[in-house]
Every structure is written in structure tokens, then in C-alpha cells.
Amino acid sequence: MTIDRCRPAWNPYLATCPTRQVLDCVADKWTVLVLGLLRSGPWRFGQLRKGIEGLSQKMLTQTLRALERDGIVRREVFACSPPKVEYSLTPLGQSLAATLDALRLWAERHMDEVMRHRDLYDEAAAQQGPALAKLIWAPP
């Protein structure tokens, strides 16, 4: 593997770095869920839509297009009547899906703890009432 010394190192902490665009796409909840399903093999559009509750046709279309553009998802059209379209992961997408699956598993493992913390926070906020609300939501 050769390193291109002319290209600057990618740094997502810089506002102009294109890695931010990739992070916007892959950190999206719909992307995480779509890639999670595609890990098991090719899926058709309707199957993906049914497999992820709350995902609209518009959002699924946008998500799949963005993932296809970035080389993460492959869209394959089969010449039959009616036309059949399947979505699958590219090798790049498989590596990303494995990474995102670890995030999903973390969320599943720690959801009880997160919910406990939310309840404690909400209780404390309710007890402190309007004073806390002013402190938290005060305009600059």
C-alpha cells in the first residue's frame, strides 16, 4: 500500500474536511439499521422498508442513494418483468457494517443503564423545576 505524500491527512476536526460528510452519512440511524439488515445478504427495497419500522420510502431512498454514491451499497437491477432491484453490501460496506454492528450491540447491551440514567436526570430536573429549566435553556 502506497501513501500519497501530496494529499493532506484527513482530519474530521477541521470544518473543511470531507470526512465530515462521510461521518454524517454513516452516523445516521437509518444507515446503521439498513446496513445491519444488509449484513445478512441482498434485500429488496420493500423488504428493507418493512424490516425497519418507521422508515419512510423517502428516507430509505435517500439513504440507499447516499450509500451507493459512497460505494458502500451496490444496487443491482435484474432484467425481468417487472424489474427486480436488490441492494447488497460492497466490500467497503461490509467493513463499515461490522463496525456499526458493534455500535448497535453496545446500544442493546447498555440500554437499561442508559434508561436508568435518563430517569435519574429527569427526576432531578423535575425536582429543581423552573430554576433548572432557566439555567439550562437561558438564551445567551
PDB file of all heavy atoms in Angstrom, residues 53-89:
ATOM      1  N   GLU A  53     -39.096  -0.534  11.040  1.00  0.00           N
ATOM      2  CA  GLU A  53     -40.296   0.245  11.386  1.00  0.00           C
ATOM      3  C   GLU A  53     -39.975   1.729  11.456  1.00  0.00           C
ATOM      4  O   GLU A  53     -38.936   2.124  11.985  1.00  0.00           O
ATOM      5  CB  GLU A  53     -40.851  -0.202  12.735  1.00  0.00           C
ATOM      6  CG  GLU A  53     -41.588  -1.501  12.675  1.00  0.00           C
ATOM      7  CD  GLU A  53     -42.278  -1.838  13.997  1.00  0.00           C
ATOM      8  OE1 GLU A  53     -42.558  -0.919  14.795  1.00  0.00           O
ATOM      9  OE2 GLU A  53     -42.513  -3.027  14.214  1.00  0.00           O
ATOM     10  N   GLY A  54     -40.869   2.542  10.910  1.00  0.00           N
ATOM     11  CA  GLY A  54     -40.720   3.993  10.986  1.00  0.00           C
ATOM     12  C   GLY A  54     -39.909   4.608   9.867  1.00  0.00           C
ATOM     13  O   GLY A  54     -39.806   5.831   9.776  1.00  0.00           O
ATOM     14  N   LEU A  55     -39.322   3.790   9.017  1.00  0.00           N
ATOM     15  CA  LEU A  55     -38.502   4.293   7.909  1.00  0.00           C
ATOM     16  C   LEU A  55     -39.408   4.571   6.711  1.00  0.00           C
ATOM     17  O   LEU A  55     -40.035   3.663   6.169  1.00  0.00           O
ATOM     18  CB  LEU A  55     -37.422   3.265   7.544  1.00  0.00           C
ATOM     19  CG  LEU A  55     -36.513   3.587   6.369  1.00  0.00           C
ATOM     20  CD1 LEU A  55     -35.808   4.920   6.554  1.00  0.00           C
ATOM     21  CD2 LEU A  55     -35.491   2.475   6.178  1.00  0.00           C
ATOM     22  N   SER A  56     -39.483   5.833   6.314  1.00  0.00           N
ATOM     23  CA  SER A  56     -40.336   6.211   5.184  1.00  0.00           C
ATOM     24  C   SER A  56     -39.668   5.827   3.864  1.00  0.00           C
ATOM     25  O   SER A  56     -38.443   5.629   3.801  1.00  0.00           O
ATOM     26  CB  SER A  56     -40.606   7.713   5.200  1.00  0.00           C
ATOM     27  OG  SER A  56     -39.429   8.429   4.876  1.00  0.00           O
ATOM     28  N   GLN A  57     -40.478   5.770   2.833  1.00  0.00           N
ATOM     29  CA  GLN A  57     -39.968   5.467   1.488  1.00  0.00           C
ATOM     30  C   GLN A  57     -38.947   6.523   1.074  1.00  0.00           C
ATOM     31  O   GLN A  57     -37.882   6.191   0.541  1.00  0.00           O
ATOM     32  CB  GLN A  57     -41.126   5.425   0.494  1.00  0.00           C
ATOM     33  CG  GLN A  57     -40.700   5.107  -0.918  1.00  0.00           C
ATOM     34  CD  GLN A  57     -41.894   4.912  -1.848  1.00  0.00           C
ATOM     35  OE1 GLN A  57     -42.994   4.609  -1.408  1.00  0.00           O
ATOM     36  NE2 GLN A  57     -41.666   5.086  -3.128  1.00  0.00           N
ATOM     37  N   LYS A  58     -39.239   7.786   1.371  1.00  0.00           N
ATOM     38  CA  LYS A  58     -38.336   8.881   1.002  1.00  0.00           C
ATOM     39  C   LYS A  58     -36.988   8.738   1.702  1.00  0.00           C
ATOM     40  O   LYS A  58     -35.933   8.870   1.071  1.00  0.00           O
ATOM     41  CB  LYS A  58     -38.981  10.222   1.361  1.00  0.00           C
ATOM     42  CG  LYS A  58     -38.112  11.415   1.065  1.00  0.00           C
ATOM     43  CD  LYS A  58     -38.774  12.705   1.526  1.00  0.00           C
ATOM     44  CE  LYS A  58     -37.836  13.875   1.319  1.00  0.00           C
ATOM     45  NZ  LYS A  58     -38.391  15.123   1.827  1.00  0.00           N
ATOM     46  N   MET A  59     -37.005   8.473   2.998  1.00  0.00           N
ATOM     47  CA  MET A  59     -35.749   8.361   3.754  1.00  0.00           C
ATOM     48  C   MET A  59     -34.950   7.130   3.324  1.00  0.00           C
ATOM     49  O   MET A  59     -33.725   7.180   3.258  1.00  0.00           O
ATOM     50  CB  MET A  59     -36.019   8.318   5.253  1.00  0.00           C
ATOM     51  CG  MET A  59     -36.325   9.675   5.860  1.00  0.00           C
ATOM     52  SD  MET A  59     -35.155  10.988   5.432  1.00  0.00           S
ATOM     53  CE  MET A  59     -33.607  10.339   5.991  1.00  0.00           C
ATOM     54  N   LEU A  60     -35.648   6.031   3.042  1.00  0.00           N
ATOM     55  CA  LEU A  60     -34.946   4.837   2.575  1.00  0.00           C
ATOM     56  C   LEU A  60     -34.279   5.112   1.230  1.00  0.00           C
ATOM     57  O   LEU A  60     -33.126   4.752   1.018  1.00  0.00           O
ATOM     58  CB  LEU A  60     -35.895   3.636   2.486  1.00  0.00           C
ATOM     59  CG  LEU A  60     -35.264   2.346   1.980  1.00  0.00           C
ATOM     60  CD1 LEU A  60     -34.059   1.933   2.814  1.00  0.00           C
ATOM     61  CD2 LEU A  60     -36.314   1.227   1.956  1.00  0.00           C
ATOM     62  N   THR A  61     -35.003   5.773   0.334  1.00  0.00           N
ATOM     63  CA  THR A  61     -34.444   6.117  -0.974  1.00  0.00           C
ATOM     64  C   THR A  61     -33.207   6.998  -0.815  1.00  0.00           C
ATOM     65  O   THR A  61     -32.162   6.740  -1.421  1.00  0.00           O
ATOM     66  CB  THR A  61     -35.497   6.839  -1.842  1.00  0.00           C
ATOM     67  OG1 THR A  61     -36.606   5.957  -2.039  1.00  0.00           O
ATOM     68  CG2 THR A  61     -34.934   7.258  -3.186  1.00  0.00           C
ATOM     69  N   GLN A  62     -33.299   8.041   0.011  1.00  0.00           N
ATOM     70  CA  GLN A  62     -32.165   8.949   0.229  1.00  0.00           C
ATOM     71  C   GLN A  62     -30.973   8.210   0.845  1.00  0.00           C
ATOM     72  O   GLN A  62     -29.832   8.413   0.437  1.00  0.00           O
ATOM     73  CB  GLN A  62     -32.577  10.101   1.142  1.00  0.00           C
ATOM     74  CG  GLN A  62     -33.479  11.105   0.480  1.00  0.00           C
ATOM     75  CD  GLN A  62     -33.937  12.202   1.444  1.00  0.00           C
ATOM     76  OE1 GLN A  62     -33.604  12.195   2.625  1.00  0.00           O
ATOM     77  NE2 GLN A  62     -34.711  13.143   0.932  1.00  0.00           N
ATOM     78  N   THR A  63     -31.264   7.356   1.812  1.00  0.00           N
ATOM     79  CA  THR A  63     -30.198   6.609   2.484  1.00  0.00           C
ATOM     80  C   THR A  63     -29.494   5.683   1.509  1.00  0.00           C
ATOM     81  O   THR A  63     -28.256   5.654   1.438  1.00  0.00           O
ATOM     82  CB  THR A  63     -30.775   5.813   3.673  1.00  0.00           C
ATOM     83  OG1 THR A  63     -31.384   6.735   4.590  1.00  0.00           O
ATOM     84  CG2 THR A  63     -29.702   5.008   4.380  1.00  0.00           C
ATOM     85  N   LEU A  64     -30.255   4.925   0.735  1.00  0.00           N
ATOM     86  CA  LEU A  64     -29.666   3.985  -0.222  1.00  0.00           C
ATOM     87  C   LEU A  64     -28.861   4.716  -1.295  1.00  0.00           C
ATOM     88  O   LEU A  64     -27.777   4.267  -1.676  1.00  0.00           O
ATOM     89  CB  LEU A  64     -30.745   3.110  -0.854  1.00  0.00           C
ATOM     90  CG  LEU A  64     -31.360   2.068   0.078  1.00  0.00           C
ATOM     91  CD1 LEU A  64     -32.595   1.443  -0.551  1.00  0.00           C
ATOM     92  CD2 LEU A  64     -30.345   0.997   0.454  1.00  0.00           C
ATOM     93  N   ARG A  65     -29.368   5.836  -1.780  1.00  0.00           N
ATOM     94  CA  ARG A  65     -28.634   6.610  -2.799  1.00  0.00           C
ATOM     95  C   ARG A  65     -27.302   7.118  -2.257  1.00  0.00           C
ATOM     96  O   ARG A  65     -26.277   7.058  -2.936  1.00  0.00           O
ATOM     97  CB  ARG A  65     -29.476   7.776  -3.301  1.00  0.00           C
ATOM     98  CG  ARG A  65     -30.526   7.360  -4.289  1.00  0.00           C
ATOM     99  CD  ARG A  65     -31.273   8.545  -4.841  1.00  0.00           C
ATOM    100  NE  ARG A  65     -32.350   8.090  -5.717  1.00  0.00           N
ATOM    101  CZ  ARG A  65     -33.415   8.798  -6.016  1.00  0.00           C
ATOM    102  NH1 ARG A  65     -33.560  10.016  -5.524  1.00  0.00           N
ATOM    103  NH2 ARG A  65     -34.337   8.311  -6.806  1.00  0.00           N
ATOM    104  N   ALA A  66     -27.331   7.645  -1.030  1.00  0.00           N
ATOM    105  CA  ALA A  66     -26.092   8.152  -0.431  1.00  0.00           C
ATOM    106  C   ALA A  66     -25.083   7.022  -0.234  1.00  0.00           C
ATOM    107  O   ALA A  66     -23.889   7.186  -0.505  1.00  0.00           O
ATOM    108  CB  ALA A  66     -26.394   8.831   0.904  1.00  0.00           C
ATOM    109  N   LEU A  67     -25.560   5.873   0.218  1.00  0.00           N
ATOM    110  CA  LEU A  67     -24.671   4.731   0.443  1.00  0.00           C
ATOM    111  C   LEU A  67     -24.128   4.174  -0.872  1.00  0.00           C
ATOM    112  O   LEU A  67     -22.971   3.762  -0.947  1.00  0.00           O
ATOM    113  CB  LEU A  67     -25.405   3.638   1.229  1.00  0.00           C
ATOM    114  CG  LEU A  67     -25.758   4.016   2.672  1.00  0.00           C
ATOM    115  CD1 LEU A  67     -26.690   2.979   3.281  1.00  0.00           C
ATOM    116  CD2 LEU A  67     -24.499   4.177   3.511  1.00  0.00           C
ATOM    117  N   GLU A  68     -24.956   4.191  -1.894  1.00  0.00           N
ATOM    118  CA  GLU A  68     -24.493   3.739  -3.222  1.00  0.00           C
ATOM    119  C   GLU A  68     -23.439   4.719  -3.758  1.00  0.00           C
ATOM    120  O   GLU A  68     -22.406   4.303  -4.284  1.00  0.00           O
ATOM    121  CB  GLU A  68     -25.673   3.639  -4.186  1.00  0.00           C
ATOM    122  CG  GLU A  68     -25.292   3.107  -5.548  1.00  0.00           C
ATOM    123  CD  GLU A  68     -26.465   3.038  -6.515  1.00  0.00           C
ATOM    124  OE1 GLU A  68     -27.563   3.531  -6.204  1.00  0.00           O
ATOM    125  OE2 GLU A  68     -26.255   2.490  -7.611  1.00  0.00           O
ATOM    126  N   ARG A  69     -23.681   5.998  -3.600  1.00  0.00           N
ATOM    127  CA  ARG A  69     -22.743   7.026  -4.069  1.00  0.00           C
ATOM    128  C   ARG A  69     -21.374   6.877  -3.412  1.00  0.00           C
ATOM    129  O   ARG A  69     -20.338   7.069  -4.057  1.00  0.00           O
ATOM    130  CB  ARG A  69     -23.313   8.410  -3.767  1.00  0.00           C
ATOM    131  CG  ARG A  69     -22.425   9.538  -4.227  1.00  0.00           C
ATOM    132  CD  ARG A  69     -23.086  10.880  -3.977  1.00  0.00           C
ATOM    133  NE  ARG A  69     -22.235  11.937  -4.489  1.00  0.00           N
ATOM    134  CZ  ARG A  69     -21.844  12.982  -3.769  1.00  0.00           C
ATOM    135  NH1 ARG A  69     -22.234  13.115  -2.524  1.00  0.00           N
ATOM    136  NH2 ARG A  69     -21.069  13.898  -4.306  1.00  0.00           N
ATOM    137  N   ASP A  70     -21.375   6.515  -2.123  1.00  0.00           N
ATOM    138  CA  ASP A  70     -20.119   6.366  -1.387  1.00  0.00           C
ATOM    139  C   ASP A  70     -19.469   4.994  -1.576  1.00  0.00           C
ATOM    140  O   ASP A  70     -18.426   4.719  -0.992  1.00  0.00           O
ATOM    141  CB  ASP A  70     -20.353   6.614   0.111  1.00  0.00           C
ATOM    142  CG  ASP A  70     -20.628   8.079   0.415  1.00  0.00           C
ATOM    143  OD1 ASP A  70     -20.343   8.942  -0.435  1.00  0.00           O
ATOM    144  OD2 ASP A  70     -21.130   8.357   1.526  1.00  0.00           O
ATOM    145  N   GLY A  71     -20.095   4.125  -2.368  1.00  0.00           N
ATOM    146  CA  GLY A  71     -19.503   2.816  -2.634  1.00  0.00           C
ATOM    147  C   GLY A  71     -19.718   1.806  -1.516  1.00  0.00           C
ATOM    148  O   GLY A  71     -19.018   0.799  -1.437  1.00  0.00           O
ATOM    149  N   ILE A  72     -20.706   2.053  -0.671  1.00  0.00           N
ATOM    150  CA  ILE A  72     -20.974   1.180   0.474  1.00  0.00           C
ATOM    151  C   ILE A  72     -22.032   0.140   0.141  1.00  0.00           C
ATOM    152  O   ILE A  72     -21.991  -0.992   0.623  1.00  0.00           O
ATOM    153  CB  ILE A  72     -21.376   2.056   1.691  1.00  0.00           C
ATOM    154  CG1 ILE A  72     -20.167   2.909   2.098  1.00  0.00           C
ATOM    155  CG2 ILE A  72     -21.896   1.217   2.849  1.00  0.00           C
ATOM    156  CD1 ILE A  72     -20.482   4.035   3.048  1.00  0.00           C
ATOM    157  N   VAL A  73     -22.978   0.537  -0.704  1.00  0.00           N
ATOM    158  CA  VAL A  73     -24.069  -0.353  -1.117  1.00  0.00           C
ATOM    159  C   VAL A  73     -24.048  -0.493  -2.631  1.00  0.00           C
ATOM    160  O   VAL A  73     -23.761   0.458  -3.359  1.00  0.00           O
ATOM    161  CB  VAL A  73     -25.436   0.213  -0.645  1.00  0.00           C
ATOM    162  CG1 VAL A  73     -26.598  -0.454  -1.332  1.00  0.00           C
ATOM    163  CG2 VAL A  73     -25.566   0.075   0.865  1.00  0.00           C
ATOM    164  N   ARG A  74     -24.348  -1.689  -3.099  1.00  0.00           N
ATOM    165  CA  ARG A  74     -24.456  -1.972  -4.531  1.00  0.00           C
ATOM    166  C   ARG A  74     -25.934  -2.138  -4.866  1.00  0.00           C
ATOM    167  O   ARG A  74     -26.654  -2.853  -4.175  1.00  0.00           O
ATOM    168  CB  ARG A  74     -23.708  -3.251  -4.874  1.00  0.00           C
ATOM    169  CG  ARG A  74     -23.823  -3.678  -6.335  1.00  0.00           C
ATOM    170  CD  ARG A  74     -23.124  -4.999  -6.621  1.00  0.00           C
ATOM    171  NE  ARG A  74     -21.726  -4.988  -6.184  1.00  0.00           N
ATOM    172  CZ  ARG A  74     -21.248  -5.671  -5.150  1.00  0.00           C
ATOM    173  NH1 ARG A  74     -22.041  -6.432  -4.421  1.00  0.00           N
ATOM    174  NH2 ARG A  74     -19.968  -5.614  -4.828  1.00  0.00           N
ATOM    175  N   ARG A  75     -26.370  -1.472  -5.912  1.00  0.00           N
ATOM    176  CA  ARG A  75     -27.748  -1.593  -6.406  1.00  0.00           C
ATOM    177  C   ARG A  75     -27.696  -2.404  -7.687  1.00  0.00           C
ATOM    178  O   ARG A  75     -27.004  -2.031  -8.632  1.00  0.00           O
ATOM    179  CB  ARG A  75     -28.319  -0.204  -6.675  1.00  0.00           C
ATOM    180  CG  ARG A  75     -29.720  -0.205  -7.214  1.00  0.00           C
ATOM    181  CD  ARG A  75     -30.176   1.258  -7.411  1.00  0.00           C
ATOM    182  NE  ARG A  75     -31.540   1.339  -7.830  1.00  0.00           N
ATOM    183  CZ  ARG A  75     -31.958   1.378  -9.094  1.00  0.00           C
ATOM    184  NH1 ARG A  75     -31.055   1.365 -10.084  1.00  0.00           N
ATOM    185  NH2 ARG A  75     -33.226   1.433  -9.389  1.00  0.00           N
ATOM    186  N   GLU A  76     -28.405  -3.508  -7.696  1.00  0.00           N
ATOM    187  CA  GLU A  76     -28.384  -4.387  -8.875  1.00  0.00           C
ATOM    188  C   GLU A  76     -29.801  -4.525  -9.429  1.00  0.00           C
ATOM    189  O   GLU A  76     -30.724  -4.894  -8.716  1.00  0.00           O
ATOM    190  CB  GLU A  76     -27.838  -5.754  -8.495  1.00  0.00           C
ATOM    191  CG  GLU A  76     -27.571  -6.647  -9.689  1.00  0.00           C
ATOM    192  CD  GLU A  76     -26.855  -7.929  -9.307  1.00  0.00           C
ATOM    193  OE1 GLU A  76     -26.565  -8.143  -8.117  1.00  0.00           O
ATOM    194  OE2 GLU A  76     -26.590  -8.729 -10.225  1.00  0.00           O
ATOM    195  N   VAL A  77     -29.936  -4.196 -10.719  1.00  0.00           N
ATOM    196  CA  VAL A  77     -31.228  -4.276 -11.395  1.00  0.00           C
ATOM    197  C   VAL A  77     -31.227  -5.529 -12.253  1.00  0.00           C
ATOM    198  O   VAL A  77     -30.317  -5.753 -13.047  1.00  0.00           O
ATOM    199  CB  VAL A  77     -31.481  -3.036 -12.281  1.00  0.00           C
ATOM    200  CG1 VAL A  77     -32.837  -3.128 -12.960  1.00  0.00           C
ATOM    201  CG2 VAL A  77     -31.367  -1.763 -11.465  1.00  0.00           C
ATOM    202  N   PHE A  78     -32.245  -6.372 -12.064  1.00  0.00           N
ATOM    203  CA  PHE A  78     -32.384  -7.598 -12.843  1.00  0.00           C
ATOM    204  C   PHE A  78     -33.390  -7.370 -13.963  1.00  0.00           C
ATOM    205  O   PHE A  78     -34.475  -6.834 -13.734  1.00  0.00           O
ATOM    206  CB  PHE A  78     -32.853  -8.752 -11.948  1.00  0.00           C
ATOM    207  CG  PHE A  78     -31.856  -9.109 -10.890  1.00  0.00           C
ATOM    208  CD1 PHE A  78     -31.912  -8.503  -9.638  1.00  0.00           C
ATOM    209  CD2 PHE A  78     -30.858 -10.035 -11.128  1.00  0.00           C
ATOM    210  CE1 PHE A  78     -30.991  -8.812  -8.651  1.00  0.00           C
ATOM    211  CE2 PHE A  78     -29.924 -10.357 -10.149  1.00  0.00           C
ATOM    212  CZ  PHE A  78     -29.997  -9.743  -8.897  1.00  0.00           C
ATOM    213  N   ALA A  79     -33.007  -7.777 -15.173  1.00  0.00           N
ATOM    214  CA  ALA A  79     -33.863  -7.589 -16.338  1.00  0.00           C
ATOM    215  C   ALA A  79     -34.959  -8.650 -16.356  1.00  0.00           C
ATOM    216  O   ALA A  79     -34.779  -9.749 -16.863  1.00  0.00           O
ATOM    217  CB  ALA A  79     -33.037  -7.651 -17.616  1.00  0.00           C
ATOM    218  N   CYS A  80     -36.067  -8.328 -15.752  1.00  0.00           N
ATOM    219  CA  CYS A  80     -37.232  -9.212 -15.773  1.00  0.00           C
ATOM    220  C   CYS A  80     -38.460  -8.315 -15.718  1.00  0.00           C
ATOM    221  O   CYS A  80     -38.360  -7.111 -15.587  1.00  0.00           O
ATOM    222  CB  CYS A  80     -37.196 -10.210 -14.613  1.00  0.00           C
ATOM    223  SG  CYS A  80     -37.093  -9.471 -12.988  1.00  0.00           S
ATOM    224  N   SER A  81     -39.608  -8.909 -15.841  1.00  0.00           N
ATOM    225  CA  SER A  81     -40.829  -8.116 -15.808  1.00  0.00           C
ATOM    226  C   SER A  81     -41.698  -8.565 -14.650  1.00  0.00           C
ATOM    227  O   SER A  81     -42.106  -9.732 -14.622  1.00  0.00           O
ATOM    228  CB  SER A  81     -41.577  -8.272 -17.133  1.00  0.00           C
ATOM    229  OG  SER A  81     -42.681  -7.427 -17.166  1.00  0.00           O
ATOM    230  N   PRO A  82     -41.987  -7.732 -13.693  1.00  0.00           N
ATOM    231  CA  PRO A  82     -41.472  -6.369 -13.533  1.00  0.00           C
ATOM    232  C   PRO A  82     -40.008  -6.391 -13.106  1.00  0.00           C
ATOM    233  O   PRO A  82     -39.533  -7.399 -12.570  1.00  0.00           O
ATOM    234  CB  PRO A  82     -42.357  -5.798 -12.406  1.00  0.00           C
ATOM    235  CG  PRO A  82     -42.783  -6.980 -11.609  1.00  0.00           C
ATOM    236  CD  PRO A  82     -42.869  -8.122 -12.582  1.00  0.00           C
ATOM    237  N   PRO A  83     -39.298  -5.269 -13.328  1.00  0.00           N
ATOM    238  CA  PRO A  83     -37.879  -5.220 -12.958  1.00  0.00           C
ATOM    239  C   PRO A  83     -37.690  -5.499 -11.462  1.00  0.00           C
ATOM    240  O   PRO A  83     -38.491  -5.103 -10.638  1.00  0.00           O
ATOM    241  CB  PRO A  83     -37.457  -3.787 -13.284  1.00  0.00           C
ATOM    242  CG  PRO A  83     -38.500  -3.262 -14.201  1.00  0.00           C
ATOM    243  CD  PRO A  83     -39.755  -4.011 -13.903  1.00  0.00           C
ATOM    244  N   LYS A  84     -36.619  -6.193 -11.158  1.00  0.00           N
ATOM    245  CA  LYS A  84     -36.302  -6.533  -9.773  1.00  0.00           C
ATOM    246  C   LYS A  84     -35.009  -5.813  -9.418  1.00  0.00           C
ATOM    247  O   LYS A  84     -34.046  -5.834 -10.181  1.00  0.00           O
ATOM    248  CB  LYS A  84     -36.138  -8.052  -9.655  1.00  0.00           C
ATOM    249  CG  LYS A  84     -35.729  -8.544  -8.303  1.00  0.00           C
ATOM    250  CD  LYS A  84     -35.567 -10.067  -8.328  1.00  0.00           C
ATOM    251  CE  LYS A  84     -34.859 -10.543  -7.087  1.00  0.00           C
ATOM    252  NZ  LYS A  84     -34.561 -11.961  -7.129  1.00  0.00           N
ATOM    253  N   VAL A  85     -34.998  -5.166  -8.252  1.00  0.00           N
ATOM    254  CA  VAL A  85     -33.814  -4.435  -7.787  1.00  0.00           C
ATOM    255  C   VAL A  85     -33.437  -4.978  -6.420  1.00  0.00           C
ATOM    256  O   VAL A  85     -34.287  -5.135  -5.546  1.00  0.00           O
ATOM    257  CB  VAL A  85     -34.084  -2.915  -7.696  1.00  0.00           C
ATOM    258  CG1 VAL A  85     -32.863  -2.180  -7.171  1.00  0.00           C
ATOM    259  CG2 VAL A  85     -34.511  -2.360  -9.041  1.00  0.00           C
ATOM    260  N   GLU A  86     -32.158  -5.282  -6.254  1.00  0.00           N
ATOM    261  CA  GLU A  86     -31.650  -5.742  -4.967  1.00  0.00           C
ATOM    262  C   GLU A  86     -30.511  -4.848  -4.509  1.00  0.00           C
ATOM    263  O   GLU A  86     -29.740  -4.337  -5.320  1.00  0.00           O
ATOM    264  CB  GLU A  86     -31.132  -7.184  -5.055  1.00  0.00           C
ATOM    265  CG  GLU A  86     -32.210  -8.223  -5.089  1.00  0.00           C
ATOM    266  CD  GLU A  86     -31.637  -9.636  -5.038  1.00  0.00           C
ATOM    267  OE1 GLU A  86     -30.423  -9.819  -5.208  1.00  0.00           O
ATOM    268  OE2 GLU A  86     -32.439 -10.556  -4.831  1.00  0.00           O
ATOM    269  N   TYR A  87     -30.414  -4.710  -3.207  1.00  0.00           N
ATOM    270  CA  TYR A  87     -29.341  -3.931  -2.593  1.00  0.00           C
ATOM    271  C   TYR A  87     -28.482  -4.876  -1.765  1.00  0.00           C
ATOM    272  O   TYR A  87     -28.999  -5.746  -1.065  1.00  0.00           O
ATOM    273  CB  TYR A  87     -29.915  -2.826  -1.701  1.00  0.00           C
ATOM    274  CG  TYR A  87     -30.703  -1.816  -2.498  1.00  0.00           C
ATOM    275  CD1 TYR A  87     -32.063  -1.994  -2.718  1.00  0.00           C
ATOM    276  CD2 TYR A  87     -30.074  -0.712  -3.060  1.00  0.00           C
ATOM    277  CE1 TYR A  87     -32.784  -1.082  -3.473  1.00  0.00           C
ATOM    278  CE2 TYR A  87     -30.790   0.205  -3.816  1.00  0.00           C
ATOM    279  CZ  TYR A  87     -32.145   0.013  -4.016  1.00  0.00           C
ATOM    280  OH  TYR A  87     -32.849   0.920  -4.771  1.00  0.00           O
ATOM    281  N   SER A  88     -27.175  -4.693  -1.868  1.00  0.00           N
ATOM    282  CA  SER A  88     -26.255  -5.529  -1.098  1.00  0.00           C
ATOM    283  C   SER A  88     -25.049  -4.675  -0.705  1.00  0.00           C
ATOM    284  O   SER A  88     -24.856  -3.576  -1.220  1.00  0.00           O
ATOM    285  CB  SER A  88     -25.812  -6.744  -1.914  1.00  0.00           C
ATOM    286  OG  SER A  88     -25.163  -6.320  -3.106  1.00  0.00           O
ATOM    287  N   LEU A  89     -24.265  -5.218   0.203  1.00  0.00           N
ATOM    288  CA  LEU A  89     -23.079  -4.503   0.653  1.00  0.00           C
ATOM    289  C   LEU A  89     -21.901  -4.770  -0.269  1.00  0.00           C
ATOM    290  O   LEU A  89     -21.702  -5.891  -0.728  1.00  0.00           O
ATOM    291  CB  LEU A  89     -22.695  -4.949   2.068  1.00  0.00           C
ATOM    292  CG  LEU A  89     -23.684  -4.613   3.174  1.00  0.00           C
ATOM    293  CD1 LEU A  89     -23.227  -5.211   4.495  1.00  0.00           C
ATOM    294  CD2 LEU A  89     -23.863  -3.112   3.301  1.00  0.00           C
TER     295      LEU A  89
END
